[in-house]
Every structure is written in structure tokens, then in C-alpha cells.
Amino acid sequence: MGRLDQWFETRTREIARGTSRRGFLASASALMMGAAAVPLLPVARVSAAMPTDGDATSCDYWRYCAIDGFLCGCCGGSPSSCPPGTVVSAVTWVGTCRNPNDNKDYIISYNDCCGRSSCGRCACQRDEGDMPLYRSDAANDINWCAGSTADIVYNCSTAVIMGVSTGE
Amino acid sequence: MTGKGMITVLAGVLLAGSAAQAADLAPETPYVESLPDTSRDHWVAVGDLNPLGNADTRVMLYDADTGKMLGMMSTGYWGSLSFFPKDSKNGGTKNIVTLETYFERGTRGQRRDYAVIYDGITLLPIHEIGIAPRRMTGFTQTQMGGLSDDGQFLAVTNFTPAQSVSIVNLAGASFADEVPTAGCGQIYPAGNRRFALLCGDGAMRMLTIDDAGAVRGQTDSEPFFDPFTDPVLVQAARKGNDWFFVSMDGYIHDVDVSGDTVKLKEKWSLLSDDEREDGWRTGGIQALAIHEADNKLYALMRQGGRETYEEPCDVVWVFDLATHKRVATIDLVNTTLAINVSPDAKPILTGASFKTVLPYWSLALVSILGAKFEELDVVKPALDVYDATSGAHLRTVDHAANFATSLTQP
């Protein structure tokens, strides 16, 4: 049993790390950067609403590459909408995620939904490009509901497509 | 004698026996415990962000020597920070201070923020000091507040997202001041009347207050790190007038806060070139701790890409602060998110961890029986206690919190 036991220890430690990120940590934080900065970014606006092209309830969905929070898709909303009764955070930070379906980089705005207690479903934290708090342009540990009309009451996080990164 | 009669007789004998015992038994009177008025060297406060119920955060107090929970404080919406003033002027108070936020109707209505002073024996609130309802909340609450060295004042980070800092006069139980601090937020105490702030441009700003807590000056340092190429982590460890920051790529930045302007004293690497090449870096959200008398730095370490810089770790590396050499390695019994080292002569290392609560062989069994291994809810927050000198694991406190994000030492 020794080797099998060791294998399971390794696996559960891995899961513990994953659990902490996706099952616990995620819930405690939110994301974002000033929305006002978005027009300054090298972004080609998407002309029409982009359909969800993956499992919006899975932390592995490509749009969530820099997310940190409960997935609104599991909480009555979607990757681009907030659940009924909540409000969209006034400010947000943006990340860049590669869509494996077309291999293009998309600018994603990780708006929080605010005004209800934490949803508690589908916690997900992926830290691609995450920076410490003082880098608020890229810090997903900040509760950005702070800028909303519901103050700091955090419910869940979205992953709204703002456009295709032109890389300029 | 019939069977029924026999039962009656037996019951009578048993009842008589019970009555005799009851006559000897002093009835209990329920009462409320007080915190023991003993050494707090090995107490640890576990900040519980309770992410499934942000309106009900807590601070749990443990005696790490016994693993016994001593009590807790409710810190309201997205709280969980606690402070232990080492107050020499006010008769050595054992008071405990927390930052708490409440909305009028749970998650709606007017927001009110407080610095609450608890009696360190009864754990009852002595003062609820109303402060600007703007304190910052985030996943890492560490350094969102800080005590002056004499315990008279508390500085609080605000974020709306405009940044400011509040000063609370604890000795006078009053809100003293709030000043804009654009670009600077997290707090690093630097004496009795000074607080250093970490800034987004890679510098630190020194806030100087007067004896009433009014801010009298703000002085910016030269940038001492590059916030874009190799940013330092927010959590830092202190030794006297030196604060030690670690960068994402594993460089220690030792800054001197003894003067009115913060200065970089020394920059050195935690890692050899080979270790850096192999992806070693600090991890977790409270990665550094210092034992001042032993002159040792404890660093929570892991291997992985930059995106893993806040993930839990399996090992602590111990460094001699004089030589910068690694002098010990402590393998952790559970994957750990935050560490702390007690300051006494027989120091303990505590870790907020995630413990797999079933034996691994049972996981193998249920996996063979078809359960989806990854979906088993078998990982729970725990508090691990080690001998900081030998690295020996002493005990683990199960389910120490719903989700521990900080460890604070009285």
C-alpha cells in the first residue's frame, strides 16, 4: 500500500492546492482595473455579442484565465451578466485570455456583481498575470465591489469580452 | 415472581441507586470563561475570512501549545484582522483590536466601520470607535492596518477605489484623522508616530503623525523595486527598523524605516540560480516570518510559475539573516497558506493549512469503487504547530477556521 498511499498523498496535496485556490481563496477575492482605462487598451471591439463557447460553469473555461471569485454563470448570471437583484461593479480590471477555438487573444473585463452575500458556487481562481494589491491595474485580490452602489458586498464575478487584443 | 414484577424490582433498585448518586452530586451552574491571564507567547489568532459568508468573518484565538481554542471575535463584513497592542504606557494592557464593518440590514443599508477594542481577559468590547466607512477589503487583508509601536495608534488602509489612510487614536478611543494617499495603501509600522506605506511606483511613503494622531507629513522614498518586472509581495516581515519584502522572483528587499525617508538597505536573493531556474519561489499569502533573537527568516516555498505565487506550499526554508544562507528546511505535514513564528526563546512555527481529513488509503479505496476523487470534499482548513528550531511537527488543530487567511501573534 505504501506506493499507492504516497501517490494519493501527492494527489490530495495537489487537490488541496487546487481546493484552496478554486474552492476557498477564490471566493474571498474579486478582480479588476479601472474601466475607464479600457478604451486606451489595444483592443478591437467585438461587433456583436459573443456567444458562450464553452462550459460557463467550469473554472477551466478559457475566459476565466485571470478570474478570482465565484462564477456568475453558476449563480443566476452568466460570464457576461450579473444575477438578478445585483449590480455590476463600477470599476474593473482587465486580463487577456487566449481563446483556443480561434487562437486569438481577447481582452476580458472581470466585473464583479455586488449587493448579495457571496454566492458560494463554482469558486474559481486562476492567477495568470495577477499582481500584488498596489498594482491595482492587474490585482485580482482586490474586492472591486468597493466602487459599486452596493459598496463592498461581493456576490460573484463575470468575464466580459471587451474585444480582440491587437497586441499593439 | 412474574417477569413483570422482577423488572419493577430491578427498576426500583436502579432508581434508588441513581437517587443516592444524585444526592452526592453538586449541580452545575453554567458560566462564561475568561481568557487565561498567562503568557500569550504561543497564542495565535487565526483570521477567518469565511468566504461562504462574508458578512460573518471571525478571528479565532488558539493556544498553540495545547491546540485548545480559547475564544473568538466576530468581525462583521469582510473583517478578520486583529491587532495586539504591546502597550507599555497603559499598564501593559492585553487588549485586542479588530477592524469590523457592518451594514444596517446585513448586506444592505448604511455601512459603518469600527475599530473595536476588546478586553483581553473577558473578550468583551470596551470601545467601538467609529472610523471612516472606507476601509479596503481584499483576499489578502495582511498589512491593511498597523499599530504604532507603542500601541497608541492604529493606521487603516482605505480604498473606494480612491486611496486614503485613517488614523485611529486607540488610547483616546477616537477617530483621529484621514488623509489622501494616492497610489499608496498597505501599512508597515515604523515607530511610535510613523507608518510606512507601500506604493504602486515601487517606493514607500512615510506618514508622520503627532501625539493626537493628526498626520503631519508624508515623505516619498526613491523607488526600490520595479513593480512591473519583479514586484514585491505585500506581506512583509519586520525585524526592528527593517522590513523584509520578497519579490515574485525571490529577491529579499531589506528596507530601513528608522528615518523620515524609507531607504533600501540591502537586496539579496533567497534562491541560487539553479533554484530559480527550477521555479522555486515563495508562496501562500503570508510567506515570511522572522525570529528576531535567532536572526532567522522563515519563508514558505513552492515550485511553479509566477501565477502560483499565492498558492499553498509544502515546505519552509529557514535563512540566517546575517549570512543569507539557508540553514534549515522544514517539510510541512499539510499544504500551507500562511506561516507565523512566535518571538519567544522557544519559538513555534504555526501554519494555516489544508488538511486531507481521510487517510490516503481510504481515498484509494473510494476511488477504486468509482467515486470521482477530485470531487471528494476531503480537504479542510487546519492549524499546524511545529517546533521552529527543530522543525518537528508538534500538533495539528483540525477545522481551525472556515478559511484561514492570516495568522497573528499577540
Side-chain angles (χ1 to χ4, degrees):
Chain A
M1 189 65 85
R3 287 174 62 186
L4 190 61
D5 214 42
Q6 192 172 11
W7 184 84
F8 269 89
E9 176 171 356
T10 304
R11 289 288 296 121
T12 46
R13 276 180 183 266
E14 286 170 2
I15 288 170
R17 292 187 203 103
T19 300
S20 69
R21 302 305 289 167
R22 299 186 183 188
F24 289 100
L25 307 199
S27 50
S29 32
L31 326 180
M32 331 310 153
M33 159 177 170
V38 171
L40 304 175
L41 295 169
V43 177
R45 289 274 172 176
V46 176
S47 57
M50 184 144 176
T52 302
D53 53 355
D55 181 359
T57 66
S58 168
C59 192
D60 295 326
Y61 179 39
W62 68 269
R63 287 197 200 189
Y64 300 146
C65 77
I67 205 167
D68 179 359
F70 296 112
L71 303 179
C72 289
C74 300
C75 301
S78 73
S80 52
S81 65
C82 284
T86 63
V87 297
V88 184
S89 64
V91 286
T92 177
W93 80 278
V94 295
T96 305
C97 298
R98 173 151 296 186
N99 183 348
N101 300 307
D102 61 10
N103 275 326
K104 290 180 180 172
D105 291 329
Y106 288 81
I107 305 296
I108 310 292
S109 173
Y110 293 103
N111 292 75
D112 283 341
C113 302
C114 315
R116 295 289 189 272
S117 190
S118 47
C119 163
R121 304 193 72 225
C122 301
C124 174
Q125 181 165 7
R126 292 166 60 183
D127 279 344
E128 292 177 31
D130 176 41
M131 287 286 157
L133 295 174
Y134 55 82
R135 282 283 314 278
S136 54
D137 59 309
N140 74 7
D141 284 345
I142 296 172
N143 177 359
W144 279 100
C145 281
S148 79
T149 55
D151 210 309
I152 56 172
V153 181
Y154 169 79
N155 180 242
C156 64
S157 298
T158 63
V160 183
I161 292 178
M162 303 302 292
V164 178
S165 171
T166 58
E168 293 170 1
Chain B
M1 188 178 282
T2 64
K4 190 176 179 182
M6 178 72 81
I7 291 170
T8 305
V9 171
L10 278 174
V13 170
L14 289 172
L15 281 172
S18 300
Q21 286 175 8
D24 297 336
L25 186 67
E28 290 186 330
T29 304
Y31 66 104
V32 179
E33 296 276 4
S34 294
L35 293 175
D37 192 8
T38 56
S39 164
R40 303 193 298 181
D41 283 350
H42 287 184
W43 287 15
V44 62
V46 179
D48 186 351
L49 216 44
N50 194 20
L52 295 182
N54 295 131
D56 184 24
T57 57
R58 309 102 181 273
V59 174
M60 328 288 274
L61 273 179
Y62 287 93
D63 180 346
D65 283 342
T66 61
K68 183 179 187 295
M69 181 170 165
L70 299 168
M72 61 176 277
M73 288 158 286
S74 290
T75 51
Y77 196 90
W78 213 308
S80 81
L81 270 183
S82 59
F83 307 90
F84 295 82
K86 292 176 174 52
D87 189 339
S88 57
K89 290 185 178 174
N90 284 357
T93 174
K94 292 190 170 182
N95 292 344
I96 304 169
V97 181
T98 60
L99 287 171
E100 304 181 5
T101 291
Y102 297 95
F103 289 90
E104 195 171 25
R105 294 181 298 286
T107 55
R108 295 195 299 276
Q110 186 172 350
R111 171 182 171 177
R112 292 187 173 89
D113 287 10
Y114 299 93
V116 182
I117 304 176
Y118 288 87
D119 182 287
I121 300 295
T122 65
L123 218 49
L124 291 169
I126 304 169
H127 297 290
E128 294 173 319
I129 307 166
I131 62 175
R134 291 183 274 279
R135 69 177 187 84
M136 188 176 189
T137 56
F139 171 58
T140 48
Q141 290 293 102
T142 311
Q143 321 290 166
M144 296 246 194
L147 286 172
S148 61
D149 287 352
D150 62 4
Q152 305 277 298
F153 296 97
L154 174 71
V156 183
T157 305
N158 298 321
F159 185 84
T160 63
Q163 288 181 293
S164 63
V165 166
S166 293
I167 305 293
V168 186
N169 183 342
L170 296 175
S174 61
F175 183 65
D177 203 358
E178 181 187 10
V179 290
T181 57
C184 308
Q186 277 57 54
I187 292 164
Y188 306 84
N192 290 340
R193 298 292 176 266
R194 284 194 309 225
F195 297 97
L197 310 179
L198 188 58
C199 306
D201 63 354
M204 292 190 86
R205 177 174 299 177
M206 188 66 88
L207 240 62
T208 306
I209 62 173
D210 64 19
D211 286 340
V215 176
R216 293 302 180 198
Q218 299 192 37
T219 309
D220 289 341
S221 75
E222 292 295 318
F224 66 91
F225 69 95
D226 187 329
F228 293 93
T229 59
D230 189 21
V232 299
L233 307 189
V234 164
Q235 189 264 334
R238 184 182 182 187
K239 180 193 168 201
N241 286 319
D242 291 23
W243 277 97
F244 293 80
F245 293 84
V246 66
S247 69
M248 279 189 166
D249 289 343
Y251 290 95
I252 292 289
H253 296 66
D254 172 0
V255 299
D256 177 4
V257 297
S258 64
D260 285 340
T261 305
V262 178
K263 290 189 170 66
L264 177 66
K265 194 169 174 181
E266 195 174 15
K267 178 181 174 182
W268 53 276
S269 179
L270 278 181
L271 308 169
S272 68
D273 290 344
D274 286 346
E275 288 162 348
R276 188 170 286 105
E277 184 78 14
D278 289 341
W280 282 98
R281 67 186 69 249
T282 59
I285 51 177
Q286 195 169 321
L288 299 182
I290 283 178
H291 191 277
E292 191 156 344
D294 288 351
N295 210 29
K296 285 180 180 170
L297 172 76
Y298 293 73
L300 196 50
M301 302 295 296
R302 71 183 328 282
Q303 277 181 291
R306 266 197 174 191
E307 72 281 2
T308 67
Y309 81 102
E310 286 185 332
E311 298 208 356
C313 306
D314 293 330
V315 66
V316 165
W317 288 2
V318 186
F319 294 85
D320 183 326
L321 279 172
T323 65
H324 305 165
K325 301 292 185 193
R326 176 151 53 114
V327 294
T329 299
I330 300 174
D331 290 324
L332 302 171
V333 294
N334 296 302
T335 186
T336 298
L337 194 59
I339 59 168
N340 187 70
V341 174
S342 68
D344 58 310
K346 292 184 177 176
I348 53 167
L349 167 72
T350 46
S353 70
F354 298 97
K355 179 184 175 185
T356 304
V357 294
L358 290 177
Y360 298 117
W361 62 263
S362 69
L363 297 176
L365 187 62
V366 295
S367 182
I368 290 167
L369 292 173
K372 285 189 177 177
F373 183 56
E374 285 75 3
E375 294 177 0
L376 295 173
D377 186 18
V378 296
V379 178
K380 304 292 181 189
L383 176 66
D384 299 317
V385 185
Y386 306 83
D387 181 321
T389 308
S390 71
H393 173 237
L394 301 176
R395 64 191 56 81
T396 288
V397 182
D398 289 340
H399 200 172
N402 289 335
F403 178 53
T405 53
S406 65
L407 295 176
T408 311
Q409 181 83 42

